[in-house]
Amino acid sequence: MMKIKVMSVFGTRPEAIKMAPLVMELAKRSNIDSLCCLTGQHREMLDSVMSIFRLHSDYDLNIMQKQQTLSSITTRTLLGMEEVLSEAKPDLILVHGDTSTTFAGALAAFYHKIPVGHVEAGLRTYDQYSPFPEEMNRTLVGDIAALHFAPTDANAQNLRKEAVRGEIFITGNTVIDAMKTTVRPDYRFATEKLNRLDFSERKIIALTCHRRENYGQPMHDIFRAVRQIVQTHPDVEVVYPVHLSPVVRECALQELGGMERIHLIDPIDVEEMHNLIARCCFVMTDSGGLQEEAPAMGKPVLVLRRETERPEAVAAGTVKLAGVAYDNIVRLANALLEQPEVYDRMAHAVNPYGDGNACRRIADAIEWHFGLRSEKPENFQAQVK
């Protein structure tokens, strides 16, 4: 039997969360030799995900440095991949999404003339500096990739408009697959403060905010809005796992530190976050992944950005683009807290991002591409409500 060697390359926590179920699916296939290469762009947070999913790496570049820059991440990944690819000689490299690891991993594969499969392909804002550097990373990988695994039909349409080379498959998003493993009704938090929260009687808002384009005044305005929301709603509490960035932490402490009912905690792992989302009232975030994860659990999302590369959730009604302006954030949060019909409309909208079978579709597509399967996998189609 012909066997192909597929190497998954990732280096950040969000990539690891979304690639873990795919690595597990590939390992089940008898005609695929699945390898895992970590760059270590994020170290502790990456290791935590690997432990939760019980994965091990075949290669680890361990590139993380203090005060690393985009240039240092990219060059260290390129140099590290040189030796790995020469030794492993994979038939296909899989990269995910839009990080510097994603771009550098794809570029390294291109230099070795190894085909690239892009998981979570086709997301676009069409503003090369927002999100930065993600928009350009994923666009450049789209020009390199031979296989494009688009989560939604809209993502696939973006790729077709750009006339990318290679084959496009609509798969759903692998993060929905990941949540089958992480969310449990009997889950007990490792962060004891979360176990003490009364999720049944209090309105708990899960908050994340860390993007570079929100540094400075936008982040101050976001946190001022959060403070106002808590001060005017005695039954509301906010849980904010504060990003390790010194810029973010300083701003969070300045605007939210010492506030009763605002819980500033250290970053939490994927199991903690998924189970926090499952129990919270709604989510406020500038993250990309949470825009996909929260709707899968029936939780409304207010996106703290000026634009989103995930417009499907806005169209479906699970997400609202709150922007970074104080007044708008307060207005939309108040509507969710004070108007049950607004909340119910968002909470019961159909999740457009997947049915939990994205990894199976991707693995089937890889087998089909290499002639190991006779039928092309069916495309994911979101339900229409």
Side-chain angles (χ1 to χ4, degrees):
M1 177 191 293
M2 176 184 172
K3 200 165 187 176
I4 56 171
K5 190 181 290 187
V6 178
M7 177 179 284
S8 300
V9 179
F10 51 95
T12 69
R13 182 174 83 159
E15 290 172 287
I17 292 167
K18 293 182 175 184
M19 288 295 277
L22 179 55
V23 172
M24 294 163 69
E25 177 65 29
L26 293 172
K28 295 177 187 174
R29 304 290 173 118
S30 60
N31 50 16
I32 292 178
D33 181 9
S34 177
L35 300 176
C36 182
C37 176
L38 305 183
T39 68
Q41 180 177 335
H42 295 171
R43 188 71 269 172
E44 290 180 14
M45 294 187 286
L46 176 65
D47 292 343
S48 167
V49 177
M50 295 294 285
S51 174
I52 286 166
F53 286 94
R54 295 179 176 82
L55 297 178
H56 76 278
S57 60
D58 299 284
Y59 300 92
D60 192 333
L61 307 184
N62 198 27
I63 67 165
M64 186 171 176
Q65 295 176 318
K66 287 184 178 179
Q67 298 178 321
Q68 60 188 1
T69 65
L70 297 175
S71 297
S72 67
I73 293 168
T74 303
T75 53
R76 284 167 65 81
T77 299
L78 272 174
L79 291 170
M81 291 298 297
E82 187 85 27
E83 184 176 342
V84 169
L85 296 180
S86 296
E87 177 184 322
K89 296 182 171 58
D91 299 297
L92 178 70
I93 294 291
L94 294 179
V95 295
H96 180 279
D98 53 22
T99 70
S100 296
T101 282
T102 306
F103 169 57
L107 187 59
F110 170 72
Y111 286 161
H112 284 73
K113 297 185 177 180
I114 299 170
V116 171
H118 189 195
V119 180
E120 199 178 271
L123 281 68
R124 297 289 186 271
T125 64
Y126 296 105
D127 178 347
Q128 66 177 348
Y129 292 113
S130 183
F132 175 81
E134 289 87 354
E135 177 72 7
M136 191 50 64
N137 283 340
R138 59 190 171 219
T139 303
L140 292 168
V141 174
D143 284 333
I144 293 172
L147 300 174
H148 308 265
F149 302 114
T152 70
D153 181 64
N155 302 148
Q157 288 180 33
N158 290 339
L159 295 168
R160 293 186 195 108
K161 281 190 293 186
E162 295 169 17
V164 297
R165 302 174 188 84
E167 297 165 308
I168 300 170
F169 303 87
I170 303 171
T171 61
N173 198 295
T174 59
V175 76
I176 310 302
D177 301 34
M179 283 163 27
K180 293 180 186 175
T181 301
T182 56
V183 177
R184 300 188 298 277
D186 61 346
Y187 182 79
R188 181 169 178 81
F189 293 101
T191 307
E192 197 55 43
K193 183 177 284 189
L194 299 181
N195 289 317
R196 294 197 292 269
L197 293 175
D198 188 346
F199 288 95
S200 60
E201 296 296 326
R202 312 287 287 174
K203 292 179 179 177
I204 309 295
I205 300 172
L207 169 69
T208 76
C209 186
H210 70 277
R211 285 199 177 273
R212 284 185 179 88
E213 60 264 33
N214 280 341
Y215 283 7
Q217 194 59 47
M219 193 166 287
H220 282 278
D221 290 343
I222 289 167
F223 292 158
R224 282 178 50 242
V226 171
R227 192 170 69 214
Q228 172 67 11
I229 293 159
V230 171
Q231 287 173 335
T232 54
H233 296 86
D235 59 343
V236 166
E237 299 188 39
V238 171
V239 176
Y240 178 19
V242 185
H243 196 274
L244 294 175
S245 161
V247 175
V248 176
R249 293 178 87 82
E250 181 181 344
C251 187
L253 286 172
Q254 180 181 337
E255 298 289 356
L256 303 175
M259 284 281 300
E260 188 179 356
R261 293 182 285 118
I262 296 181
H263 309 285
L264 303 181
I265 62 175
D266 286 334
I268 56 180
D269 67 33
V270 59
E271 274 190 311
E272 299 272 282
M273 179 56 81
H274 282 178
N275 284 281
L276 171 61
I277 294 169
R279 299 180 193 188
C280 77
C281 179
F282 65 88
V283 175
M284 300 175 68
T285 185
D286 63 1
S287 162
L290 292 187
Q291 296 175 51
E292 301 151 348
E293 294 160 353
M297 292 179 266
K299 304 300 177 177
V301 182
L302 298 183
V303 178
L304 306 171
R305 291 168 57 184
R306 295 182 179 91
E307 76 291 298
T308 178
E309 58 284 323
R310 294 167 171 86
E312 299 88 352
V314 177
T318 63
V319 161
K320 286 189 177 176
L321 203 56
V324 296
Y326 170 92
D327 289 342
N328 203 47
I329 295 169
V330 171
R331 179 179 62 82
L332 291 174
N334 284 346
L336 283 171
L337 292 167
E338 299 166 7
Q339 300 175 43
E341 69 279 5
V342 172
Y343 184 91
D344 289 343
R345 198 159 52 239
M346 291 185 71
H348 294 106
V350 172
N351 178 23
Y353 290 117
D355 56 5
N357 294 304
C359 294
R360 175 183 60 77
R361 291 190 185 93
I362 292 170
D364 286 352
I366 291 170
E367 290 178 345
W368 180 80
H369 174 77
F370 283 95
L372 303 176
R373 172 179 293 271
S374 58
E375 293 186 6
K376 189 175 183 179
E378 83 288 357
N379 282 331
F380 163 69
Q381 291 184 318
Q383 294 178 336
V384 178
K385 197 167 183 181

